[in-house]
Amino acid sequence: MDSIIPLGLRIMQWYERNGRNLPWRKDKNPYRVWISEVMLQQTRVETVIPYFKRWMKRFPNIKSLAESTENDVLSVWEGLGYYSRAHNLLKTARIIMREFGGKFPRNLESLKDLPGLGAYSSAAIASIAYNENQPAIDGNIRRVYSRLFDIRISMKTSLFERRIRRIAEQNLPHGRAGDFNQALMDFGAMICLPKQPKCTECPLEDRCLAFRRGVQNLLPMVGQATPIPHEQQAAAIIIHKRGKLSKVLLRKRSSKGLLAGLWEFPSVYVNTNQGQELARRFLSTFKLKLRKKSLFTTVKHSYSHFRVTLSAYAFTYNSGKITKDFKWVDLGDLSEYPMGKVNRLIADQLVLNPNER
DNA sequence: CTCCAGCAGA
DNA sequence: TCTGCTGGAG
């Protein structure tokens, strides 16, 4: 009887045949496990793969990372999103060099104290890199267990969390926690999908309570989504011609909050696209005296909790004090300034069509 | 187009 | 509890 084989063992058997071959699974040194786990926070495996390879080429170990600059780190990270993760990697690398003699801590509590590592990532690193018996509980695993054990409790509640944790601890195969955690994640990503789980291919079908009761599509119980506001923004492409050389004005964003530390074309929130009004907004926000010329391009984008439609206008620069957040940059050097997706798109268009300004 | 998935910090 | 991004699916 298959059903007397422990759950953990069956998942491991499935993993041995079906687990994914991923770059960070070849060599499980703590540095590689750490970088991959942080990249995988809120980000899909397929997206992470090329970033992980580039990162390892550029920063092969903790020391090389700790000795690099914020700009280097953001440049390699550019496009991955959630930029605080990149800032935290650099901070943590420096802490490890300074306070841990360059060696990654092994126990859960020390890991959790490092910037960017919470309950999930700490347990993932401890189990994968050091084979500590820690269940790593992420969204995949919550979904899998809530179905296998038919946990009909809102995912937001602490009761749900306690139930899942107890189940995860009880089913953890001691001595193989690292592989087991990864096996469950692959299982959640490949079989026990959020929408339309592949129950016909599932090796655990016969002992999934949700499947037996036909409620697998209703679990886990998630709250209803909150509506997402839509904002309008205007960005200024401000070109300054000095003979043959064209420079454009960039602004470095605050070190906190959205797109922290990245560069952008100065932008303001708007509810109008009147030239005069726009120029006034740039004057009051940035003390820049500008004159609007023409619409360059419009880009739509979604962030985590709002959407924007951003229109980029070409402006001519009259006067105004250039404070230290601002910098005149050669068009050819734009790629050296890390940017979020929207601004990179505009920068690329600008380099391609410098005449349409 | 719109919808959706996915942890950490404050 | 709220904020942080992007890519891929539909």
Side-chain angles (χ1 to χ4, degrees), chain A residues 268-286:
Chain A
V268 293
Y269 284 98
V270 288
N271 40 33
T272 170
N273 55 2
Q274 295 278 310
Q276 293 241 324
E277 175 60 18
L278 273 187
R280 221 181 348 256
R281 303 274 284 117
F282 280 104
L283 179 62
S284 63
T285 311
F286 300 121

Side-chain angles (χ1 to χ4, degrees), chain A residues 232-233 295-300 309-313 345-346 349:
Chain A
Q232 303 285 324
Q233 281 185 37
L295 177 65
F296 178 67
T297 185
T298 295
V299 182
K300 288 178 196 285
T309 300
L310 180 143
S311 295
Y313 296 90
L345 195 67
I346 294 169
Q349 287 186 33

Side-chain angles (χ1 to χ4, degrees), chain A residues 62-339:
Chain A
I62 297 191
K63 186 163 181 284
S64 60
L65 176 57
E67 289 169 354
S68 69
T69 65
E70 182 198 53
N71 201 70
D72 284 345
V73 168
L74 286 177
S75 287
V76 179
W77 196 270
E78 183 183 303
L80 255 191
Y82 293 101
Y83 295 89
S84 67
R85 296 183 292 171
H87 294 285
N88 284 335
L89 285 178
L90 181 56
K91 274 191 215 161
T92 291
R94 289 176 178 168
I95 291 172
I96 292 196
M97 290 311 290
R98 210 173 45 232
E99 296 175 23
F100 293 85
K103 281 199 65 177
F104 232 83
R106 194 187 167 106
N107 78 60
L108 203 62
E109 297 314 310
S110 314
L111 285 168
K112 244 189 271 191
D113 285 341
L114 295 168
L117 299 186
Y120 163 73
S121 303
S122 307
I125 294 169
S127 65
I128 297 169
Y130 296 117
N131 213 27
E132 297 276 320
N133 292 317
Q134 295 291 346
I137 302 174
D138 72 344
N140 273 309
I141 287 163
R142 289 187 180 93
R143 183 174 65 252
V144 170
Y145 280 139
S146 72
R147 286 175 177 162
L148 283 173
F149 295 89
D150 192 11
I151 310 295
R152 297 190 202 180
I153 301 171
S154 164
M155 206 152 72
K156 286 189 291 198
T157 65
S158 58
L159 181 60
F160 176 88
E161 207 50 39
R162 288 202 300 277
R163 289 275 172 85
I164 294 292
R165 174 155 294 276
R166 208 174 69 209
I167 290 170
E169 283 165 358
Q170 284 170 350
N171 286 284
L172 191 74
H174 282 230
R176 306 181 68 184
D179 283 341
F180 177 70
N181 285 332
Q182 297 188 83
L184 260 187
M185 287 177 221
D186 278 18
F187 178 72
M190 297 164 73
I191 303 287
C192 201
L193 304 173
K195 309 270 163 182
Q196 303 182 6
K198 301 181 175 178
C199 299
T200 54
E201 299 171 34
C202 179
L204 303 172
E205 191 192 299
D206 63 306
R207 43 182 304 177
C208 177
L209 289 182
F211 179 77
R212 196 178 298 171
R213 297 166 184 167
V215 296
Q216 68 274 20
N217 287 310
L218 306 176
L219 296 178
M221 288 172 58
V222 291
Q224 53 202 14
T226 53
I228 298 202
H230 195 142
E231 319 268 8
Q232 303 285 324
Q233 281 185 37
I237 299 173
I238 306 161
I239 304 278
H240 197 56
K241 285 208 173 104
R242 273 277 171 79
K244 290 173 79 171
L245 217 58
S246 283
K247 289 185 183 276
V248 62
L249 193 61
L250 292 189
R251 170 178 177 264
K252 190 171 162 71
R253 295 179 59 93
S254 141
S255 61
K256 283 192 243 170
L258 191 71
L259 304 168
L262 297 182
W263 293 83
E264 67 176 7
F265 298 99
S267 64
V268 293
Y269 284 98
V270 288
N271 40 33
T272 170
N273 55 2
Q274 295 278 310
Q276 293 241 324
E277 175 60 18
L278 273 187
R280 221 181 348 256
R281 303 274 284 117
F282 280 104
L283 179 62
S284 63
T285 311
F286 300 121
K287 313 290 177 228
L288 294 170
K289 270 201 120 154
L290 307 174
R291 196 155 40 82
K292 184 181 157 200
K293 282 170 58 188
S294 58
L295 177 65
F296 178 67
T297 185
T298 295
V299 182
K300 288 178 196 285
H301 195 67
S302 296
Y303 293 96
S304 48
H305 301 286
F306 66 100
R307 288 187 236 287
V308 284
T309 300
L310 180 143
S311 295
Y313 296 90
F315 281 86
T316 47
Y317 173 71
N318 288 347
S319 64
K321 191 165 182 273
I322 301 301
T323 56
K324 77 175 198 323
D325 297 346
F326 286 87
K327 197 164 174 188
W328 290 107
V329 172
D330 287 348
L331 286 187
D333 294 341
L334 283 171
S335 64
E336 294 167 28
Y337 293 80
M339 295 176 179

